[in-house]
PDB file of all heavy atoms in Angstrom:
ATOM      1  N   ASN B  47      87.646 105.752 100.332  1.00 94.00           N
ATOM      2  CA  ASN B  47      87.272 105.630  98.923  1.00 94.00           C
ATOM      3  C   ASN B  47      86.395 104.404  98.709  1.00 94.00           C
ATOM      4  O   ASN B  47      86.644 103.361  99.300  1.00 94.00           O
ATOM      5  CB  ASN B  47      88.554 105.475  98.081  1.00 94.00           C
ATOM      6  CG  ASN B  47      88.510 106.382  96.893  1.00 94.00           C
ATOM      7  OD1 ASN B  47      87.416 106.699  96.407  1.00 94.00           O
ATOM      8  ND2 ASN B  47      89.662 106.812  96.427  1.00 94.00           N
ATOM      9  N   GLY B  48      85.368 104.544  97.887  1.00 91.00           N
ATOM     10  CA  GLY B  48      84.598 103.375  97.461  1.00 91.00           C
ATOM     11  C   GLY B  48      83.636 102.838  98.503  1.00 91.00           C
ATOM     12  O   GLY B  48      83.238 101.678  98.424  1.00 91.00           O
ATOM     13  N   ILE B  49      83.249 103.647  99.493  1.00 94.00           N
ATOM     14  CA  ILE B  49      82.221 103.205 100.440  1.00 94.00           C
ATOM     15  C   ILE B  49      81.220 104.337 100.643  1.00 94.00           C
ATOM     16  O   ILE B  49      81.522 105.500 100.401  1.00 94.00           O
ATOM     17  CB  ILE B  49      82.794 102.761 101.809  1.00 94.00           C
ATOM     18  CG1 ILE B  49      83.755 103.804 102.374  1.00 94.00           C
ATOM     19  CG2 ILE B  49      83.476 101.426 101.706  1.00 94.00           C
ATOM     20  CD1 ILE B  49      84.230 103.470 103.778  1.00 94.00           C
ATOM     21  N   THR B  50      80.028 103.967 101.087  1.00 95.00           N
ATOM     22  CA  THR B  50      78.989 104.968 101.342  1.00 95.00           C
ATOM     23  C   THR B  50      79.244 105.614 102.710  1.00 95.00           C
ATOM     24  O   THR B  50      80.054 105.125 103.507  1.00 95.00           O
ATOM     25  CB  THR B  50      77.599 104.316 101.368  1.00 95.00           C
ATOM     26  OG1 THR B  50      77.529 103.443 102.507  1.00 95.00           O
ATOM     27  CG2 THR B  50      77.338 103.496 100.113  1.00 95.00           C
ATOM     28  N   GLU B  51      78.522 106.695 102.964  1.00 95.00           N
ATOM     29  CA  GLU B  51      78.709 107.397 104.233  1.00 95.00           C
ATOM     30  C   GLU B  51      78.347 106.502 105.419  1.00 95.00           C
ATOM     31  O   GLU B  51      79.027 106.507 106.450  1.00 95.00           O
ATOM     32  CB  GLU B  51      77.853 108.670 104.252  1.00 95.00           C
ATOM     33  CG  GLU B  51      78.204 109.568 105.412  1.00 95.00           C
ATOM     34  CD  GLU B  51      77.562 110.951 105.297  1.00 95.00           C
ATOM     35  OE1 GLU B  51      77.102 111.321 104.199  1.00 95.00           O
ATOM     36  OE2 GLU B  51      77.528 111.646 106.337  1.00 95.00           O
ATOM     37  N   ASN B  52      77.280 105.708 105.274  1.00 95.00           N
ATOM     38  CA  ASN B  52      76.879 104.820 106.369  1.00 95.00           C
ATOM     39  C   ASN B  52      77.912 103.729 106.632  1.00 95.00           C
ATOM     40  O   ASN B  52      78.236 103.433 107.787  1.00 95.00           O
ATOM     41  CB  ASN B  52      75.513 104.179 106.069  1.00 95.00           C
ATOM     42  CG  ASN B  52      74.387 105.033 106.616  1.00 95.00           C
ATOM     43  OD1 ASN B  52      74.609 105.856 107.507  1.00 95.00           O
ATOM     44  ND2 ASN B  52      73.191 104.854 106.075  1.00 95.00           N
ATOM     45  N   GLU B  53      78.422 103.143 105.545  1.00 95.00           N
ATOM     46  CA  GLU B  53      79.491 102.147 105.706  1.00 95.00           C
ATOM     47  C   GLU B  53      80.702 102.791 106.369  1.00 95.00           C
ATOM     48  O   GLU B  53      81.350 102.188 107.234  1.00 95.00           O
ATOM     49  CB  GLU B  53      79.889 101.583 104.340  1.00 95.00           C
ATOM     50  CG  GLU B  53      78.862 100.649 103.716  1.00 95.00           C
ATOM     51  CD  GLU B  53      79.187 100.316 102.254  1.00 95.00           C
ATOM     52  OE1 GLU B  53      79.975 101.061 101.619  1.00 95.00           O
ATOM     53  OE2 GLU B  53      78.647  99.334 101.752  1.00 95.00           O
ATOM     54  N   ALA B  54      80.997 104.034 105.954  1.00 96.00           N
ATOM     55  CA  ALA B  54      82.156 104.729 106.510  1.00 96.00           C
ATOM     56  C   ALA B  54      81.994 104.913 108.015  1.00 96.00           C
ATOM     57  O   ALA B  54      82.943 104.709 108.785  1.00 96.00           O
ATOM     58  CB  ALA B  54      82.342 106.082 105.824  1.00 96.00           C
ATOM     59  N   LYS B  55      80.794 105.296 108.447  1.00 97.00           N
ATOM     60  CA  LYS B  55      80.564 105.489 109.886  1.00 97.00           C
ATOM     61  C   LYS B  55      80.868 104.222 110.673  1.00 97.00           C
ATOM     62  O   LYS B  55      81.550 104.248 111.699  1.00 97.00           O
ATOM     63  CB  LYS B  55      79.113 105.907 110.126  1.00 97.00           C
ATOM     64  CG  LYS B  55      78.877 107.389 109.930  1.00 97.00           C
ATOM     65  CD  LYS B  55      77.450 107.769 110.290  1.00 97.00           C
ATOM     66  CE  LYS B  55      77.149 109.188 109.822  1.00 97.00           C
ATOM     67  NZ  LYS B  55      75.712 109.456 109.736  1.00 97.00           N
ATOM     68  N   GLN B  56      80.328 103.094 110.175  1.00 96.00           N
ATOM     69  CA  GLN B  56      80.545 101.819 110.880  1.00 96.00           C
ATOM     70  C   GLN B  56      82.019 101.435 110.879  1.00 96.00           C
ATOM     71  O   GLN B  56      82.586 101.034 111.903  1.00 96.00           O
ATOM     72  CB  GLN B  56      79.725 100.715 110.222  1.00 96.00           C
ATOM     73  CG  GLN B  56      78.220 100.916 110.417  1.00 96.00           C
ATOM     74  CD  GLN B  56      77.402  99.868 109.697  1.00 96.00           C
ATOM     75  OE1 GLN B  56      77.951  98.934 109.123  1.00 96.00           O
ATOM     76  NE2 GLN B  56      76.078 100.033 109.728  1.00 96.00           N
ATOM     77  N   LYS B  57      82.611 101.550 109.683  1.00 96.00           N
ATOM     78  CA  LYS B  57      84.018 101.193 109.502  1.00 96.00           C
ATOM     79  C   LYS B  57      84.931 102.021 110.415  1.00 96.00           C
ATOM     80  O   LYS B  57      85.812 101.488 111.092  1.00 96.00           O
ATOM     81  CB  LYS B  57      84.330 101.495 108.033  1.00 96.00           C
ATOM     82  CG  LYS B  57      85.505 100.792 107.475  1.00 96.00           C
ATOM     83  CD  LYS B  57      85.267  99.324 107.403  1.00 96.00           C
ATOM     84  CE  LYS B  57      85.761  98.696 106.136  1.00 96.00           C
ATOM     85  NZ  LYS B  57      85.769  97.224 106.207  1.00 96.00           N
ATOM     86  N   ILE B  58      84.720 103.337 110.423  1.00 97.00           N
ATOM     87  CA  ILE B  58      85.610 104.217 111.173  1.00 97.00           C
ATOM     88  C   ILE B  58      85.400 104.016 112.671  1.00 97.00           C
ATOM     89  O   ILE B  58      86.359 104.043 113.449  1.00 97.00           O
ATOM     90  CB  ILE B  58      85.375 105.690 110.773  1.00 97.00           C
ATOM     91  CG1 ILE B  58      85.817 105.912 109.325  1.00 97.00           C
ATOM     92  CG2 ILE B  58      86.140 106.639 111.693  1.00 97.00           C
ATOM     93  CD1 ILE B  58      87.271 105.627 109.063  1.00 97.00           C
ATOM     94  N   GLU B  59      84.161 103.778 113.086  1.00 97.00           N
ATOM     95  CA  GLU B  59      83.945 103.505 114.511  1.00 97.00           C
ATOM     96  C   GLU B  59      84.730 102.269 114.940  1.00 97.00           C
ATOM     97  O   GLU B  59      85.368 102.253 115.995  1.00 97.00           O
ATOM     98  CB  GLU B  59      82.449 103.315 114.793  1.00 97.00           C
ATOM     99  CG  GLU B  59      82.198 102.993 116.257  1.00 97.00           C
ATOM    100  CD  GLU B  59      80.868 103.524 116.754  1.00 97.00           C
ATOM    101  OE1 GLU B  59      80.020 103.923 115.938  1.00 97.00           O
ATOM    102  OE2 GLU B  59      80.699 103.526 117.995  1.00 97.00           O
ATOM    103  N   LYS B  60      84.709 101.237 114.085  1.00 96.00           N
ATOM    104  CA  LYS B  60      85.441  99.997 114.398  1.00 96.00           C
ATOM    105  C   LYS B  60      86.963 100.241 114.411  1.00 96.00           C
ATOM    106  O   LYS B  60      87.672  99.806 115.324  1.00 96.00           O
ATOM    107  CB  LYS B  60      85.074  98.936 113.351  1.00 96.00           C
ATOM    108  CG  LYS B  60      85.588  97.548 113.695  1.00 96.00           C
ATOM    109  CD  LYS B  60      85.048  96.495 112.733  1.00 96.00           C
ATOM    110  CE  LYS B  60      85.931  95.243 112.745  1.00 96.00           C
ATOM    111  NZ  LYS B  60      86.257  94.764 114.091  1.00 96.00           N
ATOM    112  N   ILE B  61      87.450 100.954 113.370  1.00 97.00           N
ATOM    113  CA  ILE B  61      88.892 101.238 113.294  1.00 97.00           C
ATOM    114  C   ILE B  61      89.331 102.081 114.494  1.00 97.00           C
ATOM    115  O   ILE B  61      90.368 101.812 115.115  1.00 97.00           O
ATOM    116  CB  ILE B  61      89.216 101.974 111.963  1.00 97.00           C
ATOM    117  CG1 ILE B  61      89.103 101.009 110.785  1.00 97.00           C
ATOM    118  CG2 ILE B  61      90.603 102.606 112.016  1.00 97.00           C
ATOM    119  CD1 ILE B  61      89.272 101.667 109.416  1.00 97.00           C
ATOM    120  N   ALA B  62      88.525 103.098 114.828  1.00 97.00           N
ATOM    121  CA  ALA B  62      88.889 103.972 115.946  1.00 97.00           C
ATOM    122  C   ALA B  62      88.916 103.171 117.245  1.00 97.00           C
ATOM    123  O   ALA B  62      89.854 103.291 118.036  1.00 97.00           O
ATOM    124  CB  ALA B  62      87.901 105.129 116.047  1.00 97.00           C
ATOM    125  N   ARG B  63      87.899 102.321 117.439  1.00 96.00           N
ATOM    126  CA  ARG B  63      87.819 101.575 118.694  1.00 96.00           C
ATOM    127  C   ARG B  63      88.914 100.526 118.800  1.00 96.00           C
ATOM    128  O   ARG B  63      89.566 100.389 119.833  1.00 96.00           O
ATOM    129  CB  ARG B  63      86.438 100.912 118.825  1.00 96.00           C
ATOM    130  CG  ARG B  63      86.355  99.998 120.056  1.00 96.00           C
ATOM    131  CD  ARG B  63      84.965  99.480 120.317  1.00 96.00           C
ATOM    132  NE  ARG B  63      84.055 100.582 120.617  1.00 96.00           N
ATOM    133  CZ  ARG B  63      83.003 100.929 119.871  1.00 96.00           C
ATOM    134  NH1 ARG B  63      82.724 100.247 118.778  1.00 96.00           N
ATOM    135  NH2 ARG B  63      82.250 101.941 120.218  1.00 96.00           N
ATOM    136  N   ASP B  64      89.120  99.772 117.704  1.00 94.00           N
ATOM    137  CA  ASP B  64      90.008  98.608 117.773  1.00 94.00           C
ATOM    138  C   ASP B  64      91.475  98.962 117.585  1.00 94.00           C
ATOM    139  O   ASP B  64      92.351  98.280 118.109  1.00 94.00           O
ATOM    140  CB  ASP B  64      89.628  97.581 116.703  1.00 94.00           C
ATOM    141  CG  ASP B  64      88.246  96.999 116.935  1.00 94.00           C
ATOM    142  OD1 ASP B  64      87.678  97.253 118.009  1.00 94.00           O
ATOM    143  OD2 ASP B  64      87.735  96.311 116.035  1.00 94.00           O
ATOM    144  N   ILE B  65      91.747 100.008 116.794  1.00 95.00           N
ATOM    145  CA  ILE B  65      93.137 100.223 116.368  1.00 95.00           C
ATOM    146  C   ILE B  65      93.712 101.549 116.862  1.00 95.00           C
ATOM    147  O   ILE B  65      94.840 101.605 117.333  1.00 95.00           O
ATOM    148  CB  ILE B  65      93.228 100.142 114.824  1.00 95.00           C
ATOM    149  CG1 ILE B  65      92.799  98.731 114.400  1.00 95.00           C
ATOM    150  CG2 ILE B  65      94.647 100.425 114.345  1.00 95.00           C
ATOM    151  CD1 ILE B  65      92.471  98.593 112.951  1.00 95.00           C
ATOM    152  N   LEU B  66      92.950 102.618 116.761  1.00 97.00           N
ATOM    153  CA  LEU B  66      93.527 103.934 117.066  1.00 97.00           C
ATOM    154  C   LEU B  66      93.489 104.262 118.554  1.00 97.00           C
ATOM    155  O   LEU B  66      94.240 105.119 119.020  1.00 97.00           O
ATOM    156  CB  LEU B  66      92.793 105.026 116.273  1.00 97.00           C
ATOM    157  CG  LEU B  66      92.815 104.874 114.752  1.00 97.00           C
ATOM    158  CD1 LEU B  66      92.054 106.004 114.085  1.00 97.00           C
ATOM    159  CD2 LEU B  66      94.244 104.847 114.236  1.00 97.00           C
ATOM    160  N   THR B  67      92.590 103.598 119.295  1.00 97.00           N
ATOM    161  CA  THR B  67      92.382 103.958 120.693  1.00 97.00           C
ATOM    162  C   THR B  67      92.805 102.822 121.612  1.00 97.00           C
ATOM    163  O   THR B  67      92.514 101.658 121.345  1.00 97.00           O
ATOM    164  CB  THR B  67      90.881 104.261 120.928  1.00 97.00           C
ATOM    165  OG1 THR B  67      90.459 105.255 120.015  1.00 97.00           O
ATOM    166  CG2 THR B  67      90.630 104.740 122.351  1.00 97.00           C
TER     167      THR B  67
END
Side-chain angles (χ1 to χ4, degrees):
Chain B
N47 227 332
I49 50 174
T50 66
E51 191 169 344
N52 270 340
E53 288 170 341
K55 277 185 192 161
Q56 292 177 5
K57 201 66 138 168
I58 293 300
E59 178 148 13
K60 189 172 159 48
I61 288 174
R63 174 172 297 116
D64 295 350
I65 298 164
L66 301 180
T67 305

